[in-house]
Amino acid sequence: MIKFQAFHGVITSINEFLIDETGEGAGCYKLISVQDRYGTLVNFVVAPSTYFVDHEMVAVGDMVTGFYDANAATPFIFPPQFRAIVMARDTQFRNVKVDYFNSELISSDNTLKLNIAPYTQILLENGQSFTRNPANRNLIVTYGAVTMSIPAQTTPYKIIVMC
């Protein structure tokens, strides 16, 4: 099971990343370096399959959050290097949560409960409509205001179901 972990900071560089010595896939992979406010640096390997929230383009200087699998094997190097599963550029009035949501639509870390409204878009990663219940799945959730309860509750703008 994927255990999503987030790292938030400013993009300090974007470079091509070669995955093999043959050059096959050249230009398809990127290495995005992100530094948080404490000076900690993380490199994200961005593959063609990495999902960018709202398909937004990112650039050096942008504030972003990278989501990765905390249970995945990683090379023992500095700075740490993680395979990005989801990347989200900071946007005013929009929060992003990537996690497993149970049958009650509560995140695995018990910090967010989703209250789906008729206007909440529920989509697949390819932009097509998802017509089933999104519970018990890994979800990318974009939302605004939350309640001050535990867990916090929100009515999301959009839910992306990660199949």
Side-chain angles (χ1 to χ4, degrees), residues 123-144:
L123 306 170
L124 294 168
E125 289 175 280
N126 63 11
Q128 299 305 302
S129 195
F130 184 79
T131 56
R132 304 193 85 180
N133 185 346
N136 296 311
R137 297 176 185 271
N138 292 323
L139 305 175
I140 303 166
V141 181
T142 62
Y143 60 97

Side-chain angles (χ1 to χ4, degrees), residues 41-154:
L41 187 65
V42 165
N43 287 331
F44 285 107
V45 176
V46 175
S49 60
T50 301
Y51 184 83
F52 281 79
V53 174
D54 292 336
H55 304 289
E56 292 179 318
M57 189 77 67
V58 296
V60 172
D62 285 345
M63 293 294 292
V64 296
T65 303
F67 297 89
Y68 61 95
D69 183 356
N71 291 332
T74 57
F76 193 64
I77 58 174
F78 183 80
Q81 184 172 293
F82 303 114
R83 185 178 74 82
I85 298 171
V86 176
M87 294 291 290
R89 185 169 64 84
D90 281 12
T91 303
Q92 194 173 14
F93 307 117
R94 181 188 74 188
N95 300 300
V96 177
K97 174 96 172 159
V98 180
D99 206 347
Y100 176 84
F101 286 81
N102 68 17
S103 60
E104 297 176 28
L105 292 173
I106 298 174
S107 62
S108 69
D109 61 3
N110 201 38
T111 61
L112 189 64
K113 179 178 182 351
L114 307 180
N115 298 315
I116 297 175
Y119 59 82
T120 301
Q121 288 184 297
I122 305 175
L123 306 170
L124 294 168
E125 289 175 280
N126 63 11
Q128 299 305 302
S129 195
F130 184 79
T131 56
R132 304 193 85 180
N133 185 346
N136 296 311
R137 297 176 185 271
N138 292 323
L139 305 175
I140 303 166
V141 181
T142 62
Y143 60 97
V146 296
T147 63
M148 297 294 287
S149 60
I150 298 177
Q153 295 187 39
T154 190

Side-chain angles (χ1 to χ4, degrees), residues 10-15 31-33 57-64:
V10 64
I11 295 176
T12 59
S13 68
I14 300 175
N15 297 298
L31 191 68
I32 298 180
S33 298
M57 189 77 67
V58 296
V60 172
D62 285 345
M63 293 294 292
V64 296

